[in-house]
Amino acid sequence: MNPEARTALLAHYDAVRRDLPWRGESDPYRILVSEVMLQQTRVDTVVRYYEPWLRRFPDVESLADADVDEVLREWEGLGYYRRARNLHAAVRAVRERPGGEFPETALELRALPGVGEYTAGAVASIAFGEVAPAVDGNVRRVLSRWFDEPEPTVSWLRARATELVHLTRPGDWNQALMELGAVVCTPRNPKCAVCPVSKWCAARAAGSQAERPVRARKPRVRAVDMLLVVLQCDGRVLLVRRPDGGLLGGMWAFPESEMTLGAGAGPTPTEEMEAEIATVVRGLDAAIVGPPLPLETVVHRFTHLHVTYRPYIMKATATVADGSGRAWVSASEAGALAIPVAQRRVLDQLTWEVR
Ligand code: SF4
């Protein structure tokens, strides 16, 4: 590669990089936190969560000591909760290492739970100066255009990024490529006129930048209606803990059941909905003592799932929760639990009266 291109990109990064809270950071734990938060989440969202998280969990020790419920609670709103569980497991794994030393190479970092090739390369290069590539979605787009490669494979990207990585400023180099993709070489309407590598960009020369990389067809998003059963008794509601490993694993939520699309639409429950409510309630060993009343529906989009939550509230006699994943909680107790954002919007509708 033309060395001038490298110099031009680094100079551009030095001059106009965004002032983000994790810029200039050399603590590997803090870099790992920022990289994990940034996976699948917008920068402006992460900016709001990053510093509060570090105030609560300033280092490996404090996060490793924390209970998983609290970790999920602090993560609430960032979504993709598996990342929080993996981050928690990763710092516990770091603590178990000889002397509690943070792994310094991309190879060692890959052994931590949830740390993939990209995150390992980013942490190793930024925190420890390892000459390792880090290819995220932004870098993939930049390299595809820079070399006019329509369908870059993982091995092609790894090879290009490895050739390019700067030998003395690998961390800055990786961040410069990511920053270029985030700010200049954007998915739509790349700003080629102000791009520091435009002179060397093959796609720009060919006029093909808008078609690079070729977009994969998006997987279909499935739409579902989800019944939420809100049992209320003496100022408390029943929450169940979701199984580990699945969607929103380990979080607390209302009992739910997937319905036929449109089954619950309308101000009164349909027969189908009433029957399903009865089935869910039976499974909870509870008894309802009032009619199910609809609360406002809440819509939430997951990556491949578009869920319309249809909550129904009803008074119930409180059964003794079995202690293994069910709890009758007050408003303040619910405030301290990790609860999915959409379900917290249902909680916010409650009056919490004690009868
Ligand atoms: S010249 Fe345009 S297409 Fe090429 S890297 Fe720069 S912004 Fe992207």
Side-chain angles (χ1 to χ4, degrees):
M1 190 204 46
N2 190 318
E4 277 178 57
R6 266 212 191 93
T7 307
L9 179 55
L10 273 181
H12 179 263
Y13 176 68
D14 290 339
V16 300
R17 66 187 174 193
R18 291 170 296 173
D19 183 21
L20 300 171
W22 48 88
R23 284 272 193 257
E25 187 55 73
S26 58
D27 178 329
Y29 164 72
R30 289 170 171 247
I31 294 165
L32 179 64
V33 169
S34 68
E35 292 298 341
V36 173
M37 285 187 173
L38 284 163
Q39 291 163 11
Q40 296 158 299
T41 303
R42 294 167 56 91
V43 166
D44 46 359
T45 304
V46 175
V47 166
R48 285 189 278 114
Y49 281 83
Y50 178 69
E51 285 179 334
W53 177 277
L54 291 179
R55 279 196 291 278
R56 173 59 194 89
F57 306 119
D59 47 28
V60 165
E61 205 60 32
S62 53
L63 180 56
D65 280 343
D67 187 81
V68 69
D69 282 334
E70 192 189 356
V71 173
L72 293 172
R73 176 74 185 86
E74 291 294 323
W75 196 268
E76 215 180 286
L78 273 169
Y80 302 100
Y81 292 89
R82 182 179 290 276
R83 294 179 300 168
R85 301 173 73 86
N86 280 336
L87 179 59
H88 190 216
V91 297
R92 286 187 165 180
V94 170
R95 190 169 61 176
E96 295 306 311
R97 287 169 51 86
E101 292 291 328
F102 215 97
E104 295 191 8
T105 65
L107 194 65
E108 290 174 307
L109 284 156
R110 286 287 313 259
L112 298 177
V115 174
E117 186 169 342
Y118 161 75
T119 305
V123 175
S125 63
I126 298 169
F128 300 109
E130 183 180 345
V131 181
V135 180
D136 69 351
N138 282 322
V139 173
R140 175 177 183 271
R141 182 171 59 257
V142 169
L143 296 183
S144 164
R145 289 171 174 170
W146 191 332
F147 294 94
D148 200 19
E149 170 57 49
E151 295 183 40
T153 61
V154 171
S155 58
W156 183 90
L157 286 163
R158 190 183 295 128
R160 293 294 82 69
T162 303
E163 285 161 18
L164 287 175
V165 70
H166 200 277
L167 297 180
T168 55
R169 296 179 61 190
D172 284 345
W173 174 261
N174 285 332
Q175 291 179 89
L177 272 179
M178 294 177 216
E179 183 85 351
L180 187 73
V183 177
V184 177
C185 193
T186 46
R188 290 194 178 73
N189 305 319
K191 303 170 188 68
C192 302
V194 297
C195 175
V197 299
S198 61
K199 257 202 281 183
W200 302 278
C201 177
R204 190 186 192 203
S208 58
Q209 59 272 58
E211 289 95 52
R212 300 287 178 266
V214 170
R215 282 185 235 292
R217 231 180 326 141
K218 280 196 177 169
R220 276 167 63 106
V221 175
R222 197 163 73 88
V224 301
D225 271 3
M226 196 70 80
L227 162 70
L228 293 186
V229 172
V230 182
L231 296 181
Q232 197 170 36
C233 179
D234 289 336
R236 290 172 177 269
V237 292
L238 184 68
L239 296 180
V240 295
R241 188 168 193 154
R242 298 180 64 90
D244 287 346
L247 184 70
L248 308 169
M251 303 191 82
W252 290 88
F254 293 110
E256 68 180 25
S257 180
E258 189 175 325
M259 302 293 300
T260 314
L261 271 183
T268 51
T270 58
E271 269 182 31
E272 183 187 350
M273 191 62 98
E274 282 203 345
E276 194 59 26
I277 289 170
T279 304
V280 172
V281 170
R282 259 199 311 281
L284 295 166
D285 299 326
I288 51 177
V289 292
L293 301 172
L295 296 167
E296 277 180 39
T297 57
V298 173
V299 174
H300 191 79
R301 280 178 186 277
F302 299 93
T303 312
H304 304 309
L305 203 60
H306 183 176
V307 184
T308 302
Y309 289 104
R310 301 194 182 278
Y312 284 82
I313 187 167
M314 58 218 83
K315 289 202 182 337
T317 51
T319 49
V320 178
D322 61 10
S324 61
R326 285 185 213 162
W328 287 92
V329 299
S330 64
S332 62
E333 288 164 342
L337 292 176
I339 294 173
V341 170
Q343 305 229 5
R344 198 168 283 288
R345 284 168 59 198
V346 175
L347 276 170
D348 290 344
Q349 299 179 42
L350 305 185
T351 53
W352 299 97
E353 88 274 23
V354 178
R355 85 186 141 83

